[in-house]
Amino acid sequence: MATAILNATIAGFNSTTTYTTVFEEISKYNVQLNYFERLWAAWYLWMQNDTLATGIMSFVMHEVIYFGRSLPWIIIDAIPYFNRYKLQNQKVPSWREQWECAALVLLSHCTVELPQIWLFHPIAVYFGLEYGVPFPPAWKIAMHIAIFFVLEDAWHYWFHRALHYGPLYRTIHKLHHTYSAPFGLVAEYASPIEVMLLAFGTIGSPIVWVSITGDLHMITMYLWIVFRLFQAIDAHSGYDFPWSLHHFLPIWAGAEHHDVHHEKFIGNYASSFRWWDYFMDTEAGAEASKRRRDKKLAQIRAKKAQ
């Protein structure tokens, strides 16, 4: 960890030094760092292997966030009261379906995603990703995350749409559409090829960004991944509440947008926003169908009037 202000704390550390001891030393000599920055710095110094430190932290973070965020939706599915908010309320997933989905997702995480996570640190650092302390200011973190949402949404739209092309759908994407009424755990229920292809939008966009700008921190990358996981899991939740984000931010996609995609198996290809589907005329659902029908009738009337 190439941070000059921490060099003095390394002396005297050995294989028997505990993480708590390292954290206390960091706190003693680097009072200018906030609590989370000291936790971060102590982790890397205690591990003494940056690739291993990032790999463990990344995998644990991904599993905790993914299954932790899915848990509330599992509980909600088990409470009849919330059925009034379920978009396809005649299709509530069984415990067996939830379990089988979770098992396959966990297997995919351990066999497909873990090797990629292990390679993430050296690749990211090669392209210029920072991981030292202090962290960047909040405004910069927020700006980068907003940019990544836009970039990932574009990538997801076009490649997701391509995956609905006949041969690609049958050989790659069909697994993800096992459940026509999605639930939270389904977000990463997909073939290894799809996982790697669509994950490039999430991981690759920031890497491309830092390779061009030279300005990105690991903590921003982690926060972006957390928000993206929340978005993906919530979009597959199958619930639309009065307080759901798209009611206040009309360009946001959310569960109401993506649930129709799973129900109809076509249209609504974007992940976070609605603009690609709107401008490319790939919106799904009754309202979109009515708009297209009205537009076609208007064209027919105009042609007859000529």
Side-chain angles (χ1 to χ4, degrees):
M1 194 175 195
T3 309
I5 61 172
L6 300 176
N7 286 343
T9 67
I10 299 176
F13 290 168
N14 54 54
S15 59
T16 62
T17 304
T18 65
Y19 172 78
T20 303
T21 300
V22 177
F23 176 74
E24 290 172 352
E25 288 298 304
I26 292 289
S27 300
K28 186 186 303 182
Y29 296 107
N30 297 279
V31 293
Q32 76 280 12
L33 300 177
N34 65 43
Y35 182 75
F36 294 103
E37 289 169 339
R38 283 178 274 143
L39 286 173
W40 180 279
W43 169 253
Y44 277 95
L45 287 175
W46 180 63
M47 289 297 295
Q48 293 293 298
N49 183 316
D50 294 348
T51 298
L52 184 61
T54 299
I56 293 173
M57 186 161 55
S58 300
F59 185 74
V60 171
M61 179 203 72
H62 183 269
E63 299 312 292
V64 169
I65 296 299
Y66 187 86
F67 290 104
R69 183 54 187 165
S70 296
L71 182 59
W73 297 117
I74 295 173
I75 295 171
I76 286 172
D77 275 327
I79 302 175
Y81 170 83
F82 292 105
N83 193 253
R84 69 189 71 185
Y85 301 113
K86 190 164 179 61
L87 291 157
Q88 299 183 59
N89 58 16
Q90 76 283 9
K91 300 176 183 177
V92 178
S94 66
W95 287 109
R96 180 174 180 176
E97 287 175 322
Q98 300 259 17
W99 172 257
E100 290 176 349
C101 179
L104 189 140
V105 168
L106 182 59
L107 178 64
S108 176
H109 287 177
C110 294
T111 58
V112 179
E113 296 186 24
L114 185 56
Q116 299 174 61
I117 289 173
W118 197 258
L119 294 172
F120 169 70
H121 184 93
I123 293 173
V125 172
Y126 173 81
F127 283 104
L129 191 74
E130 282 289 333
Y131 63 103
V133 288
F135 296 153
W139 68 264
K140 182 178 285 190
I141 293 174
M143 180 188 72
H144 285 166
I145 290 173
I147 291 170
F148 299 154
F149 263 113
V150 173
L151 293 176
E152 188 282 332
D153 186 67
W155 176 274
H156 191 100
Y157 174 85
W158 289 105
F159 277 86
H160 185 192
R161 185 173 175 178
L163 287 174
H164 276 263
Y165 169 67
L168 294 180
Y169 180 83
R170 288 191 297 271
T171 58
I172 299 174
H173 192 51
K174 188 176 180 179
L175 178 63
H176 184 66
H177 278 276
T178 299
Y179 304 100
S180 59
F183 46 93
L185 286 165
V186 172
E188 292 186 357
Y189 185 87
S191 75
I193 296 174
E194 180 174 348
V195 169
M196 290 186 286
L197 182 64
L198 294 182
F200 185 82
T202 302
I203 305 299
S205 296
I207 297 299
V208 172
W209 170 266
V210 72
S211 68
I212 295 172
T213 66
D215 183 20
L216 184 62
H217 195 280
M218 184 82 76
I219 192 66
T220 304
M221 186 77 161
Y222 278 175
L223 289 172
W224 151 240
I225 291 171
V226 168
F227 281 119
R228 176 68 179 102
L229 284 172
F230 268 58
Q231 181 276 325
I233 294 165
D234 291 356
H236 287 84
S237 69
Y239 287 88
D240 184 37
F241 297 106
W243 54 86
S244 294
L245 183 57
H246 79 94
H247 292 297
F248 307 97
L249 186 65
I251 61 172
W252 187 251
E256 182 268 341
H257 181 267
H258 195 67
D259 200 275
V260 177
H261 172 78
H262 274 262
E263 183 181 15
K264 305 298 183 183
F265 294 91
I266 194 168
N268 288 7
Y269 299 113
S271 57
S272 299
F273 304 106
R274 295 173 184 254
W275 51 59
W276 280 108
D277 285 295
Y278 177 80
F279 288 114
M280 301 308 297
D281 196 25
T282 54
E283 291 179 296
E287 289 184 15
S289 297
K290 185 179 183 301
R291 282 198 301 270
R292 278 191 285 269
R293 186 166 57 251
D294 292 345
K295 183 179 178 181
K296 190 173 183 179
L297 288 171
Q299 290 173 343
I300 292 172
R301 292 193 191 101
K303 190 174 182 180
K304 287 181 178 179
Q306 291 178 350

